[in-house]
Amino acid sequence: MAKWIKLLLSCVLTCMLLASCKTSAESGSDASTVIVGGKVGAAIAVKMKQLRATIPASATTVETINRGEGLKATILSSQLFAPNSNRLTDSAMSTLTDLAAALNGYPDTNIRIVAHTDKTGEDELNRKLSERRAMSVGKALTDSGLDAARLKCEGRGFNEPKADNSTREGRALNRRVEIFITPSAKMIDEARRKPAQ
């Protein structure tokens, strides 16, 4: 009986995740660019700095965004997936489990997962692959205890390259998953009530 309950719960969480995952065309405004500023923004930046210190460094590059009020963690797809696949490797699962543990310590943040591909192959195939990869990362995070209501998933295909697609090194850098961590409305409200000194 417990096995069926666990399976049912897993299915419900997956459905919730899929409902929250959107393609870039459906997602509308870019929530990762909201900047609060002032003492409230400074209070949020302190929390983001504390969160950044808890994110595992293995396979992840973390940088601040929005004047310190948010974070962007980047993981190269070669560290997560086999070529042309959205199936996560065992080492990727370990990395994402550690990341979920860090994010669970800061429940008043929103998480946006954006997957990218290189420019080899057809546009539609790359877009769909990037969407499946974003959803795979989202599912791994929710399977590790992260609340699916905090997640949004997007696949951008090869529309936002970071490097030159004509070189092997450039294509490897373009195949990536970016995880944007931004303050939720609750975190902003709390910072307004108790701003940094």
Side-chain angles (χ1 to χ4, degrees):
M1 185 71 164
K3 185 177 180 180
W4 284 104
I5 292 172
K6 188 175 180 181
L7 179 61
L8 179 62
L9 183 58
S10 177
C11 289
V12 168
L13 287 173
T14 300
C15 290
M16 287 173 56
L17 174 64
L18 292 175
S20 71
C21 290
K22 300 178 179 182
T23 65
S24 57
E26 297 171 320
S27 61
S29 66
D30 187 354
S32 66
T33 59
V34 173
I35 299 174
V36 178
K39 288 185 178 182
V40 175
I44 292 169
V46 168
K47 287 190 178 192
M48 290 296 169
K49 185 175 181 180
Q50 293 167 345
L51 169 58
R52 182 179 185 171
T54 67
I55 295 175
S58 62
T60 308
T61 303
V62 182
E63 59 188 282
T64 58
I65 58 171
N66 304 345
R67 298 184 190 156
E69 295 175 21
L71 300 173
K72 179 175 75 170
T74 303
I75 308 172
L76 295 180
S77 290
S78 61
Q79 297 168 332
L80 295 171
F81 310 100
N84 298 315
S85 172
N86 64 300
R87 184 169 181 257
L88 292 162
T89 64
D90 290 340
S91 63
M93 291 300 294
S94 176
T95 297
L96 294 172
T97 298
D98 292 344
L99 178 60
L103 294 172
N104 278 329
Y106 293 82
D108 295 334
T109 55
N110 294 322
I111 316 300
R112 187 166 59 96
I113 302 163
V114 183
H116 303 269
T117 64
D118 62 24
K119 197 173 168 110
T120 56
E122 295 178 24
D123 180 33
E124 184 67 10
L125 292 175
N126 278 303
R127 186 184 58 75
K128 287 181 178 180
L129 176 61
S130 66
E131 289 172 1
R132 289 192 312 271
R133 285 180 168 180
M135 287 189 284
S136 291
V137 170
K139 184 174 182 329
L141 292 174
T142 59
D143 287 351
S144 296
L146 198 69
D147 182 1
R150 296 172 58 193
L151 294 176
K152 286 199 181 348
C153 304
E154 300 177 24
R156 299 277 175 93
F158 55 68
N159 293 319
E160 297 176 12
K162 287 283 189 186
D164 184 357
N165 263 307
S166 67
T167 68
R168 184 189 326 186
E169 295 82 13
R171 288 189 298 274
L173 291 173
N174 290 333
R175 294 186 300 267
R176 67 197 186 280
V177 174
E178 296 170 328
I179 302 169
F180 294 89
I181 306 159
T182 55
S184 67
K186 182 178 178 185
M187 180 184 279
I188 294 170
D189 288 342
E190 286 178 2
R192 281 193 176 116
R193 287 194 299 274
K194 189 177 174 185
Q197 303 300 322

